Amino acid sequence: MPNNILSICKIHVNIGKFAEGADFQLFQENNGKKNSRVSLIFGRNGAGKSTIARQIVSLSSDDGNDKIFLDKDGNQIPLSPEEKTRIRVFDEQYVQEKILIKEKGLENIVMLGDQVLARKRIDEIDEKTIELGRQNVLLVQARTDLEEGTHSVEKIYQQAKEVAKDGGWTERYRQIEGGRPNLTPERWNRILSAQNDSSRQQLQEYFNQMFDKYTKAKNLGTTIMNTVPQVDATRYDEQPFFRLMSQQLDEPVLSEREKHILNLAQTGDQGLIEDARAVFSNEQTDVCPMCLQSVTAEYKASLVESITKVLNDDVDHYKANLKSLRFSKIEENEFVLSGIPGDMLTNYHKAVRSVNDIIEQYNVFLEKRLNSLFIPITVKPLGLCKAINLLNEEVAKLNSEIQSLNHAVKDRDKIKNELLRISDQIAWIDAKDRISAGKEAEVKLEKTNDDLEEVEKSIDSLRRERDGEEAKLKKQRLLLKRLMRIWPMCILIKTVLD
């Protein structure tokens, strides 16, 4: 296979200042002889020397012009991929990338090839390590502030605890549990978990209601076994009483003595007449208890007959009916009421007194009519039925409260836990701003620790990489020393063209 490189005589340049195209003679015709092929191109700065070098460098790219070389007649010389790899351009860029001159005192250290790459990488690693070191210092300072500073997570949460206690948590807990409560970590975690959307006023009102029920159940101790009975309103119907009280009794045809007896009955001495009938009906009576005069059996019989005529069967029947309408007062059974808290009985006692006051007034009117059976009495309604209905309403409330209290006694532990839950919710509302700040600080601390861990990992990775690059330099130095022993004081640069 012919060697196309040996046929090169010219180069065609079409980039940079030679964009319009220019040919330069590099070598004389070789004629197949093996001779030195060296071309020296020189010129002022900016004359185009570097442009020619870049044109040759372009051969290494896939889309570069591979027909820039010409033979003696100006014909293009295509190069195979293998031939392209044999071309080296030692231009300014190559020197910058592959040759490093480091000043060390009055001497210069020259590094070539891989030594340059290793040295540059070590410098890059050192720069990155310094920057990461700065980040590490800042992150450590931030972590220290979040752990121990004035804005640390612990101090922010301590402020939140003080706000919660100042808002009444301690007093509420004392009311529920008693003693002198401490805000332990467990209790504080319950407050942190008590986030809610309710208003503080709603929660406080609910707490007060539940605490009132809890206090009553706690004081009661055991369930109330009794309930207060309702009053049967049908037993206190006023209308029959009004009708009988106003009823007029018929007067019989009487003698003078009988008229006198009737007059006594009508003027309020009904009892005196009945007592006289009872006395003179007794066979043993022989002396009048009023005038102390002796009385015969005939006189006694005549007097009893006159009294009986005035107080006939109709009168006795009316009197019996009248007595049957006597209203009984409401009795407050102390056994039934035992165990019921006194404050719950206030309205009940008041309603009972109202009913009994009316009953007492009605019974006064009844006694007055019993003492004057022939004198009708018109009684105005005093509202007994209404008072009894109001009493039964109070009884229903009282029994409902008793039932509620009995449930509270049975569920006292549940009510206690509910009170603690509400108290924690109130405390969370009081301290929510500081709690929010504490959680934000926790997030910052967690991120700071993560960032610090990443930075430290990066620094460790760079240190390992730097050790590797240093090992490369050391290995290359040893190799160079061996070469210097073979070719002392000599540097050989060879360009292979064949």
Side-chain angles (χ1 to χ4, degrees), residues 8-26:
I8 296 174
C9 291
K10 301 177 182 180
I11 183 172
H12 179 75
V13 182
N14 57 5
I15 62 174
K17 67 184 302 177
F18 306 116
E20 295 181 359
D23 294 340
F24 295 92
Q25 186 77 29
L26 296 178

Side-chain angles (χ1 to χ4, degrees), residues 476-491:
Q476 291 166 0
R477 291 192 193 103
L478 292 174
L479 180 60
L480 183 58
K481 286 181 179 180
R482 291 176 183 175
L483 290 174
M484 293 301 292
R485 291 183 187 136
I486 299 174
W487 296 298
M489 302 301 292
C490 202
I491 298 177

Side-chain angles (χ1 to χ4, degrees), residues 150-163:
T150 56
H151 301 292
S152 66
V153 174
E154 181 180 355
K155 289 186 178 179
I156 292 175
Y157 275 138
Q158 186 58 42
Q159 293 169 1
K161 292 177 182 179
E162 293 302 323
V163 172

Side-chain angles (χ1 to χ4, degrees), residues 455-468:
V455 168
E456 290 174 347
K457 286 181 179 179
S458 298
I459 291 175
D460 289 341
S461 177
L462 289 173
R463 285 173 179 169
R464 289 192 297 271
E465 185 180 355
R466 192 183 193 283
D467 291 341

Side-chain angles (χ1 to χ4, degrees), residues 315-423:
V315 174
D316 289 340
H317 181 70
Y318 172 79
K319 183 177 181 181
N321 288 339
L322 198 59
K323 288 182 177 181
S324 68
L325 291 180
R326 189 187 303 275
F327 295 120
S328 300
K329 287 187 176 183
I330 305 299
E331 297 292 337
E332 297 184 37
N333 191 317
E334 293 301 326
F335 174 76
V336 172
L337 299 179
S338 62
I340 300 176
D343 59 334
M344 295 172 54
L345 298 174
T346 301
N347 291 335
Y348 168 74
H349 288 314
K350 183 177 179 180
V352 170
R353 286 196 300 271
S354 178
V355 170
N356 285 339
D357 286 346
I358 295 174
I359 289 175
E360 184 175 357
Q361 293 182 60
Y362 280 161
N363 286 339
V364 168
F365 285 118
L366 188 142
E367 290 298 328
K368 185 176 180 181
R369 183 63 194 267
L370 285 173
N371 290 326
S372 302
L373 293 175
F374 292 95
I375 302 176
I377 299 176
T378 301
V379 181
K380 294 182 179 181
L382 300 179
L384 180 59
C385 289
K386 182 179 179 180
I388 290 175
N389 289 336
L390 291 176
L391 172 60
N392 283 334
E393 289 179 7
E394 292 301 325
V395 169
K397 292 178 184 179
L398 190 59
N399 289 334
S400 176
E401 188 68 18
I402 291 173
Q403 185 179 16
S404 177
L405 270 179
N406 286 339
H407 286 309
V409 170
K410 294 177 182 178
D411 299 334
R412 187 166 57 193
D413 290 340
K414 291 182 179 179
I415 297 174
K416 176 182 176 181
N417 291 334
E418 178 69 1
L419 283 170
L420 292 174
R421 186 185 70 83
I422 301 169
S423 178

Side-chain angles (χ1 to χ4, degrees), residues 279-321:
V279 170
F280 290 110
S281 296
N282 189 344
E283 294 180 356
Q284 301 299 325
T285 301
D286 55 3
V287 176
C288 176
M290 299 176 197
C291 62
L292 301 179
Q293 293 182 4
S294 299
V295 291
T296 64
E298 291 79 5
Y299 180 80
K300 289 193 302 180
S302 175
L303 182 58
V304 170
E305 182 181 357
S306 295
I307 293 174
T308 301
K309 187 177 181 180
V310 174
L311 302 180
N312 54 40
D313 291 341
D314 291 338
V315 174
D316 289 340
H317 181 70
Y318 172 79
K319 183 177 181 181
N321 288 339

